[in-house]
Amino acid sequence: MIVDLPNTTTNEISKRLVEARSESGAVAQGRVLTLILVTDESGSDDAIGTANDASREHPSRVLVIVRGSTDGDSRLDAQIRVGGDAGAAEVVVLRLFGELANHGSALVTPLLLPDAPVVVWWAGEPPADPVNERIGTMATRRIVDSSRAADPLAALTQLASVTAPGTTDLSWSRLTRWRALLAAALDQPPYEEVTSAVVRGAKDKPSVELMAAWLAYALECPVTIEHTDAGTGMVGVTLTRASGDISIVREDGTVATMTQPGQPVRRVALHRRTDVDCLIEELRRLEEDELFSDVLTKGMPRLTQGATV
Amino acid sequence: MSPTRVSASENPLRDDRDRRLPRIAGPSGLVMFGVTGDLARKKLMPAIYDLFNRGLLPPGFSLVGYGRRDWSDADFAEQVRSSVSRYARTPFRAEVWEQLAEGLRFVQGNFDDDAAFDRLAEVLAELDTTRGIGGNYGFYLSIPPGAFPVVTKQLARSGLSRQDGDSWRRVVIEKPFGHDLESARELNEVVESVFPPDSVFRIDHYLGKETVQNLLALRFANQLWEPIWNAHYVDHVQITMAEDIGIGGRAGYYDGIGAARDVIQNHLLQLLALTAMEEPISFDAKDLRAEKEKVLSAVRVPIDLDSAAARGQYSKGYQGNEAVNGFLEEDGIAPDSITETFAALRLDIDTRRWAGVPFYLRAGKRLGRRVTEIAVVFKRAPFLPFDNTATGELGQNAIVIRVQPDEGVTIRFGSKVPGTAMEVRDVSMDMSYGESFTESSPEAYERLILDVLLGDPPLFPRHEEVELSWKILDPFTKHWESAGKQPEAYYPGQWGPASAHDMLSRDGRSWRVP
């Protein structure tokens, strides 16, 4: 069920939200968090869809702040979606115009779920300093996606300079399965130090830098990045040890080849993670991600930039 | 800069603060006996695919089917594929399936066929070289317990059960673990003569690890319940496991076993142990088992077994809109069978915490609906400053832990009915895991299989627990056998025979309608 409320007020929205819930039979039980989604008009549909899908695992109230033009008079247009149109979530889309567009945080405060964690997700260009954005201070978790920035690498460097324990990046959750495979490889004998590592991946993906920074931080060995063409995603990781190289290479974005000394070459399904999967992972852990902070602040400075391949 | 140390216990890529990394099982393969059974088709194979799809199984993971059918590897793969595409929880992905299919093998043979087991050993050796499973094999015995001795002997004879060096061999067995204390011991001797106790995983699929952990979290992560979780406040506890189906095609297994042995011995007594036990000093396997064993040893069986138990058999009638046969008319059941399809017992626990608090257990088939729950029913408030009429509809407060379906917690308490008259009535407050958390939580079997491959045993019962449960149940079943009485008939779709209701009303209580 969708209720449109053009040129409205937050009081009206609260009232209609309660009505819409009881009318559609979707009684708000068990919502576990409020997700504030900051986006612009062009990216809003995709982002809302992702949040709805993620709500199937984490029932939430999703407050979508769509920043319109700041020229002209202040105006608030709202739309409430509950029931089948909103996954397991209830979605309130707030379209802000004029001076109001700069005051999103004031609008969401009365709409937050009581006594539930607040997560902010900037689906588009990340803010310069998430934790000190007014809306960022309201949240226990702040999620950005540096791959959506106009200049992803600059965005990552900027994020490293303002990192805070509750701030994470979807570019980091995109790596989880890669990291799990690498960690599992080191669980097995022979137990040898990794003396150097190479990370290959697309130059437009900050995930590649994060992978290298993680390895540099954890293994304390030289890590080289080899950039591939934009759009290729993560392509491969090689860990060099005395007995030979462990390598995982994914050329086609779906299946990876894993090579280890003394082992047959194995293929493993390693498809690119969707935004939904990444967001679900982010929402699963609402505590601080200290490792990610360390990767940004201690791992990034260790990287040596290799030649573009 | 010198690189971080790597050893068997220190993996620099694993950081305690890193909660994202899932644990992936190390190189391994699984051999499944009884591949054509319902369980394998509907649960095990889909669970393996789901795990693989979620990236939790190692690259190169292999699954070997062993059975009598005259199948090639490709036929077996086709079987697995059809069960996966029908029953798997996660979406079917061609590229994931291809990787899994490369590791599927089938070995044809009977359980007593030396040559076939030698072929199995060859197949596994081949997988070691081509798929790199590192000599780590799990054997899943999804077969009747009668076949355990011959299969374990074959595994020993063919050298498959021998673990050397770093590699491991593990065996998974399903309930029933025997049908009384003596047979449970025999069964255990057979299995443990070949596999060491740490390598034996007893699987109880009803009681998935998720359920057990939910219960532990509810009890021990909260301050709210602990002060009232004792004889001062609790009046009694009811543990129910009801099924709405009959025995279906399981006559051969069920006749002579009955409801008490089928589910009370394992599921209900496990639930009782988890509800009644003291706080373990940690959630390590050892500490958790210690508490469960302690409370099971403190269970006292009543002296008058007739008045503290009830048995029933479902009769012909209607289950919902469906006309159903009585138990004695089911195919394969002797018309004079005295096997019970419903059993209810009263047990007491001799500890300071639970002295005087009866635990009522009931289990049955063809009952009102499918439900498993633990209801902790509290004493009435000692003084009610209301008129009698005001609290006429007020029952006892209760905390109900719903195990399945719709897992969650319900609290029942009194609330004033709106209006000028003072009137108090029971209301429910519901929490449902499905609403508060995920719509699709992992199947119990996914966790079980992964735990076997990771060698992570905490919640699998050890043999000691199995023995203690039989010690509790044996007096009842022996008594029923020696009395030789026909269990009381009950209508399908109801909540058991009249004697079960009498049993509680004698104590001044009544069964909840779950």
Side-chain angles (χ1 to χ4, degrees):
Chain A
M1 149 176 209
I2 294 182
V3 183
D4 275 306
L5 300 169
N7 202 2
T8 186
T9 63
T10 47
N11 272 341
E12 180 68 15
I13 297 170
S14 298
K15 210 169 89 193
R16 293 301 297 271
L17 191 56
V18 175
E19 283 172 13
R21 257 194 259 126
S22 58
E23 278 170 31
S24 71
V27 185
Q29 263 187 355
R31 305 255 178 270
V32 290
L33 58 92
T34 306
L35 176 65
I36 302 173
L37 168 48
V38 185
T39 173
D40 53 18
E41 195 60 62
S42 64
S44 67
D45 278 352
D46 282 351
I48 293 171
T50 302
N52 282 351
D53 288 344
S55 76
R56 295 194 191 281
E57 181 150 339
H58 303 281
S60 39
R61 177 177 289 179
V62 183
L63 304 176
V64 187
I65 301 179
V66 185
R67 275 192 286 214
S69 163
T70 48
D71 304 334
D73 291 338
S74 286
R75 194 176 91 229
L76 166 63
D77 287 352
Q79 189 183 59
I80 296 172
R81 306 181 190 178
V82 292
D85 297 304
E90 48 192 19
V91 180
V92 184
V93 184
L94 305 163
R95 289 194 166 79
L96 317 185
F97 303 95
E99 176 56 22
L100 196 56
N102 297 323
H103 298 277
S105 62
L107 281 167
V108 297
T109 309
L111 298 174
L112 299 177
L113 289 174
D115 207 11
V118 178
V119 179
V120 185
W121 172 33
W122 286 273
E125 179 80 33
D129 186 359
V131 77
N132 287 318
E133 282 276 307
R134 195 150 354 133
I135 210 154
T137 56
M138 301 166 62
T140 44
R141 272 302 284 272
R142 294 162 297 277
I143 303 166
V144 298
D145 186 352
S146 50
S147 72
R148 295 294 171 94
D151 181 348
L153 287 188
L156 198 60
T157 315
Q158 168 62 19
L159 188 63
S161 70
V162 295
T163 187
T167 307
T168 55
D169 189 332
L170 288 187
S171 296
W172 176 238
S173 20
R174 287 189 186 105
L175 289 176
T176 303
R177 289 200 54 195
W178 277 88
R179 297 197 301 121
L181 274 178
L182 290 165
L186 287 200
D187 279 339
Q188 303 300 323
Y191 302 110
E192 296 171 335
E193 282 73 44
V194 178
T195 51
S196 68
V198 178
V199 178
R200 296 178 67 223
K203 57 180 175 238
D204 61 338
K205 285 290 176 206
S207 295
V208 177
E209 265 66 23
L210 285 173
M211 170 62 89
W214 173 59
L215 292 172
Y217 167 73
L219 300 173
E220 301 193 0
C221 69
V223 181
T224 314
I225 298 177
E226 292 179 2
H227 277 138
T228 56
D229 291 340
T232 47
M234 252 324 266
V235 177
V237 176
T238 305
L239 305 180
T240 302
R241 301 193 293 180
S243 62
D245 291 354
I246 299 175
S247 87
I248 302 177
V249 179
R250 179 184 71 183
E251 301 283 4
D252 62 355
T254 52
V255 179
T257 308
M258 194 166 174
T259 322
Q260 277 172 277
Q263 297 280 349
V265 172
R266 287 176 290 206
R267 285 158 57 77
V268 53
L270 185 65
H271 28 83
R272 291 190 186 177
R273 284 191 112 188
T274 60
D275 281 357
V276 175
D277 286 344
C278 293
L279 187 62
I280 285 176
E281 178 180 307
E282 291 296 338
L283 298 182
R284 197 170 295 151
R285 302 278 178 201
L286 291 175
E287 74 265 356
E288 300 170 344
D289 190 340
E290 294 168 33
L291 176 68
F292 179 62
S293 301
D294 282 351
V295 167
L296 280 180
T297 54
K298 298 178 186 158
M300 292 274 286
R302 292 194 176 166
L303 296 185
T304 48
Q305 216 69 18
T308 302
V309 181
Chain B
M1 180 162 72
S2 70
T4 322
R5 216 176 108 76
V6 180
S7 72
S9 58
E10 296 164 289
N11 180 348
L13 295 185
R14 294 205 185 277
D15 187 315
D16 286 344
R17 299 170 302 164
D18 189 353
R19 305 291 191 69
R20 295 168 189 265
L21 279 201
R23 282 186 68 195
I24 301 182
S28 52
L30 194 64
V31 181
M32 199 180 283
F33 295 90
V35 280
T36 48
D38 252 15
L39 182 76
R41 277 192 313 117
K42 290 189 182 157
K43 297 286 186 184
L44 299 177
M45 290 168 183
I48 286 170
Y49 170 83
D50 288 332
L51 283 172
F52 205 72
N53 199 3
R54 290 164 65 206
L56 300 178
L57 295 184
F61 175 82
S62 306
L63 174 67
V64 183
Y66 185 100
R68 274 191 297 268
R69 302 280 172 98
D70 188 13
W71 279 347
S72 64
D73 290 347
D75 295 334
F76 178 56
E78 197 40 54
Q79 280 296 312
V80 179
R81 187 186 169 126
S82 76
S83 86
V84 163
S85 50
R86 181 140 174 230
Y87 297 109
R89 183 175 65 86
T90 56
F92 189 85
R93 284 200 181 100
E95 75 272 11
V96 174
W97 169 251
E98 268 170 43
Q99 304 312 317
L100 184 61
E102 279 176 20
L104 295 177
R105 302 284 185 277
F106 189 76
V107 176
Q108 196 247 332
N110 285 321
F111 293 150
D112 56 359
D113 185 344
D114 285 4
F117 273 84
D118 292 339
R119 267 202 310 282
L120 176 62
E122 281 162 27
V123 165
L124 288 169
E126 177 255 324
L127 289 170
D128 277 342
T129 27
T130 58
R131 308 266 303 163
I133 60 175
N136 302 314
Y137 319 137
F139 299 98
Y140 201 120
L141 307 189
S142 180
I143 53 175
F148 286 0
V150 36
V151 172
T152 45
K153 267 189 209 111
Q154 281 290 355
L155 290 174
R157 189 198 58 80
S158 53
L160 283 171
S161 61
R162 199 168 44 242
Q163 22 198 336
D164 34 38
D166 286 332
S167 68
W168 51 256
R169 306 291 153 89
R170 297 181 186 131
V171 65
V172 185
I173 58 179
E174 298 248 358
K175 68 128 201 169
F177 314 123
H179 54 85
D180 58 14
L181 181 58
E182 198 183 325
S183 62
R185 279 187 178 147
E186 275 166 25
L187 185 66
N188 186 55
E189 270 162 31
V190 165
V191 176
E192 295 198 350
S193 66
V194 177
F195 293 94
D198 283 344
S199 302
V200 181
F201 290 74
R202 292 175 181 80
I203 280 194
D204 186 340
H205 57 283
Y206 267 103
L207 217 49
K209 189 169 186 172
E210 197 67 24
T211 302
V212 174
Q213 286 182 338
N214 284 343
L215 196 68
L216 294 176
L218 181 82
R219 278 200 60 197
F220 301 118
N222 294 304
Q223 179 76 330
L224 193 56
W225 324 114
E226 187 54 28
I228 52 171
W229 210 258
N230 55 51
H232 289 295
Y233 297 96
V234 176
D235 181 65
H236 69 282
V237 177
Q238 300 183 6
I239 303 179
T240 302
M241 178 170 164
E243 290 171 278
D244 56 1
I245 51 167
I247 55 161
R250 294 170 71 222
Y253 160 72
Y254 204 83
D255 197 12
I257 294 288
R261 289 187 177 119
D262 186 34
V263 293
I264 292 187
Q265 178 267 335
N266 34 62
H267 310 315
L268 266 58
L269 286 177
Q270 282 286 315
L271 290 177
L272 175 140
L274 292 165
T275 309
M277 71 181 190
E278 298 297 316
E279 187 170 64
I281 56 174
S282 82
F283 284 148
D284 283 351
K286 178 170 65 67
D287 298 326
L288 199 56
R289 277 201 305 260
E291 292 305 331
K292 283 202 284 177
E293 285 168 17
K294 219 166 80 187
V295 73
L296 286 174
S297 335
V299 168
R300 173 163 50 85
V301 174
I303 297 162
D304 182 357
L305 291 174
D306 278 321
S307 68
R311 312 170 73 204
Q313 261 177 0
Y314 59 83
S315 61
K316 196 184 174 101
Y318 274 83
Q319 176 101 36
N321 57 351
E322 186 196 354
V324 296
N325 276 335
F327 177 68
L328 297 176
E329 295 128 33
E330 299 271 15
D331 282 343
I333 298 292
D336 57 350
S337 169
I338 60 161
T339 301
E340 82 280 357
T341 62
F342 174 96
L345 331 168
R346 172 192 164 136
L347 297 171
D348 287 87
I349 298 177
D350 282 341
T351 60
R352 176 169 286 225
R353 186 190 282 268
W354 295 115
V357 180
F359 281 69
Y360 298 104
L361 276 50
R362 63 175 162 169
K365 294 197 174 286
R366 287 244 182 270
L367 298 182
R369 65 190 194 92
R370 186 176 82 95
V371 61
T372 303
E373 64 164 42
I374 303 163
V376 179
V377 182
F378 290 86
K379 293 179 175 165
R380 282 181 186 278
F383 169 70
L384 289 169
F386 304 101
D387 295 338
N388 270 342
T389 51
T391 54
E393 284 181 72
L394 177 64
Q396 284 166 284
N397 295 162
I399 296 175
V400 182
I401 299 161
R402 307 192 305 273
V403 177
Q404 67 163 2
D406 183 27
E407 191 166 1
V409 181
T410 301
I411 301 180
R412 279 184 76 72
F413 57 96
S415 169
K416 183 183 167 297
V417 180
T420 48
M422 185 64 198
E423 197 187 339
V424 183
R425 186 185 289 171
D426 283 339
V427 292
S428 297
M429 203 156 77
D430 277 321
M431 180 289 235
S432 147
Y433 287 95
E435 272 176 20
S436 293
F437 299 101
T438 153
E439 218 171 57
S440 114
S441 71
E443 241 319 296
Y445 273 105
E446 286 176 52
R447 294 211 56 180
L448 294 168
I449 292 172
L450 187 60
D451 282 343
V452 171
L453 297 178
L454 289 169
D456 197 12
L459 302 171
F460 293 97
R462 285 273 286 237
H463 184 62
E464 291 75 6
E465 267 172 75
V466 175
E467 279 200 11
L468 282 168
S469 319
W470 283 121
K471 275 187 195 159
I472 295 168
L473 195 67
D474 274 0
F476 289 98
T477 51
K478 295 237 160 70
H479 175 72
W480 294 333
E481 257 159 41
S482 64
K485 269 195 272 185
Q486 192 70 22
E488 187 185 358
Y490 61 91
Y491 281 108
Q494 308 296 323
W495 290 103
S499 54
H501 297 283
D502 295 345
M503 173 185 143
L504 257 73
S505 59
R506 274 195 294 274
D507 293 350
R509 302 188 174 100
S510 63
W511 289 108
R512 253 175 65 80
V513 177

